[in-house]
Amino acid sequence: MMKARVIVTLKNGVLDPQGKAIEGALGGLGFDGIGAVRQGKVFDLVLSATDKAAAEAEVAQMCEKLLANTVIENYAIEIE
Amino acid sequence: MMKARVIVTLKNGVLDPQGKAIEGALGGLGFDGIGAVRQGKVFDLVLSATDKAAAEAEVAQMCEKLLANTVIENYAIEIE
């Protein structure tokens, strides 16, 4: 059994209104010096695979097909 | 200027219907051996702080006040 973490973030240049809203809210709470905020998603998966390379390839397929919109998002995979 | 990444995940025992839906969708796409899927959030912040410890303390305050609901969520901070 392996654990995989997938982090999906917006590509550079893609507008992130949610991040902008958080940036504004942090400023409103009195936090200074916030340059930029971008929000993304994280997925924690438990896999029954035992081979690390095979697990990573499978998770990459999941990202391409479901977890990330590769037109506007990047994904990073960590296997534990 | 420092970059901080905050990862917010649901605490153990908190129901995650979104994760369950993703788990079902992955099964429907033919991915076998998925044990569990939990979804969380990631925030990438750019800070003007120059001291790593001070930046980490400030980001922890942001998590407590805005970024995470500490009743049901855990947060982890990475400073680069």
Side-chain angles (χ1 to χ4, degrees):
Chain A
M1 227 169 60
M2 304 190 105
K3 286 184 181 183
R5 169 162 280 183
V6 176
I7 293 180
V8 175
T9 49
L10 284 170
K11 288 186 180 176
N12 284 334
V14 177
L15 285 180
D16 180 6
Q18 201 169 2
K20 276 280 166 208
I22 294 164
E23 201 179 313
L26 286 172
L29 285 170
F31 292 104
D32 298 325
I34 312 282
V37 182
R38 310 268 293 167
Q39 187 177 355
K41 285 172 278 189
V42 56
F43 302 96
D44 287 315
L45 299 97
V46 177
L47 306 167
S48 61
T50 48
D51 179 57
K52 194 171 165 174
E56 190 160 349
E58 194 182 17
V59 174
Q61 279 296 310
M62 293 177 198
C63 290
E64 294 286 339
K65 287 191 181 168
L66 184 75
L67 301 180
N69 175 354
T70 54
V71 177
I72 57 166
E73 291 171 330
N74 292 320
Y75 60 85
I77 299 169
E78 297 161 23
I79 306 276
E80 285 163 39
Chain B
M1 229 170 59
M2 303 190 104
K3 287 184 182 183
R5 169 162 279 184
V6 176
I7 294 181
V8 176
T9 50
L10 285 171
K11 288 186 180 177
N12 284 333
V14 177
L15 285 179
D16 181 6
Q18 201 170 2
K20 277 281 166 206
I22 294 164
E23 200 180 314
L26 287 172
L29 284 171
F31 291 105
D32 299 325
I34 313 284
V37 182
R38 309 268 294 167
Q39 188 177 353
K41 286 172 277 190
V42 57
F43 302 95
D44 288 315
L45 298 98
V46 178
L47 307 167
S48 62
T50 49
D51 178 58
K52 194 171 166 175
E56 191 159 347
E58 193 182 17
V59 174
Q61 279 297 311
M62 293 178 198
C63 290
E64 294 286 338
K65 287 192 181 167
L66 183 76
L67 301 180
N69 174 355
T70 53
V71 177
I72 56 166
E73 290 171 331
N74 293 319
Y75 59 85
I77 299 169
E78 298 161 23
I79 306 276
E80 282 165 40

